[in-house]
Amino acid sequence: MAPSLGRCLSLFMSVCMSVCLSVCLPAPHVPGKMMETMRTLQKQGRYKSLSFSGSPVFSRDTLNKMEDGDKRVVLGKVLEVYDKLFDQMLSELPTGSQSEERKTEEAGIQYLQERVRQLKRAQYQKHLVVISTLEQLGNIQINSSVVQSNALWELPWLFEQASSLAERKRRSLRRRRAPRKRALPVLAKLRRAM
């Protein structure tokens, strides 16, 4: 009975280890085919003579300083910009040429665009609604007296919404910190008892 118990424990431990490793180790975020397609595009066509100039299009520093919720909204917009960028790249391909290089470039750009669109649809749809709303807010005609009058009527409700949202966030942070404060004396007693 002991050897079979040992085998069961060994099997159980290896299953647990493989589950832990699959959960704990991060999966690659960019599929290999995407990386290969990007390398191919950079080595041929209009991009082969260009190298990264050091001035990024999208600021990593700003993105890294954001909270996850804000970061998701910005990344949703970034994916939207990439979609438009790929449309532009496709429209700039030489039209008369049917060379193998052009076909490869077109297929690569279309593949990357489809991957971006899939991610956008699957993970960022509700964030794109936020982006659309922000763009609409940016188009409000603040020099219109009608807009100014209506905005004054709407201010109490919106001010209350903004204030209560900030208060809810503060309360949520306090609730998350409270269990830690209560747990510290208990942990100290346990250490002394050991």
Side-chain angles (χ1 to χ4, degrees):
M1 181 161 163
S4 69
L5 180 62
R7 278 192 297 260
C8 287
L9 280 173
S10 175
L11 179 63
F12 176 76
M13 291 300 291
S14 41
V15 168
C16 287
M17 287 299 287
S18 63
V19 168
C20 285
L21 288 175
S22 68
V23 171
C24 297
L25 294 178
H29 296 291
V30 180
K33 185 176 178 185
M34 277 186 77
M35 291 300 295
E36 187 59 37
T37 302
M38 287 183 276
R39 278 191 219 105
T40 302
L41 286 171
Q42 290 165 346
K43 289 178 187 174
Q44 70 180 35
R46 296 168 294 143
Y47 314 108
K48 66 181 167 189
S49 62
L50 302 172
S51 61
F52 186 72
S53 67
S55 55
V57 177
F58 306 103
S59 172
R60 289 184 185 190
D61 291 338
T62 305
L63 201 58
N64 287 334
K65 292 174 186 172
M66 292 181 175
E67 293 180 19
D68 284 351
D70 298 336
K71 192 181 286 191
R72 287 184 68 82
V73 171
V74 171
L75 287 172
K77 184 62 176 179
V78 166
L79 292 174
E80 198 171 87
V81 169
Y82 268 108
D83 194 9
K84 291 176 184 174
L85 184 80
F86 290 136
D87 279 337
Q88 182 65 32
M89 290 166 74
L90 287 168
S91 74
E92 292 174 357
L93 288 173
T95 53
S97 171
Q98 286 301 316
S99 70
E100 201 58 41
E101 191 174 278
R102 183 200 184 283
K103 288 178 185 175
T104 304
E105 192 175 348
E106 183 177 17
I109 293 170
Q110 288 172 338
Y111 167 74
L112 293 175
Q113 185 175 36
E114 185 52 37
R115 292 304 306 247
V116 164
R117 285 178 176 171
Q118 286 173 353
L119 180 60
K120 195 170 71 168
R121 280 191 304 264
Q123 301 293 326
Y124 290 89
Q125 202 61 45
K126 72 177 183 178
H127 300 91
L128 293 174
V129 172
V130 173
I131 292 166
S132 172
T133 304
L134 290 173
E135 288 171 350
Q136 290 171 8
L137 289 172
N139 294 328
I140 291 176
Q141 297 176 350
I142 57 173
N143 58 350
S144 163
S145 58
V146 173
V147 169
Q148 293 168 0
S149 175
N150 290 348
L152 283 174
W153 282 101
E154 295 172 26
L155 180 61
W157 181 80
L158 290 167
F159 191 85
E160 184 181 322
Q161 291 294 307
S163 298
S164 66
L165 186 63
E167 182 57 33
R168 280 198 306 267
K169 185 172 182 175
R170 267 194 298 275
R171 274 189 258 143
S172 173
L173 286 172
R174 273 190 242 132
R175 276 195 301 270
R176 275 190 259 151
R177 289 180 186 148
R180 279 189 242 147
K181 288 180 182 177
R182 280 186 249 136
L184 290 176
V186 173
L187 289 174
K189 286 180 186 178
L190 285 173
R191 284 188 194 136
R192 280 181 266 167
M194 295 175 144

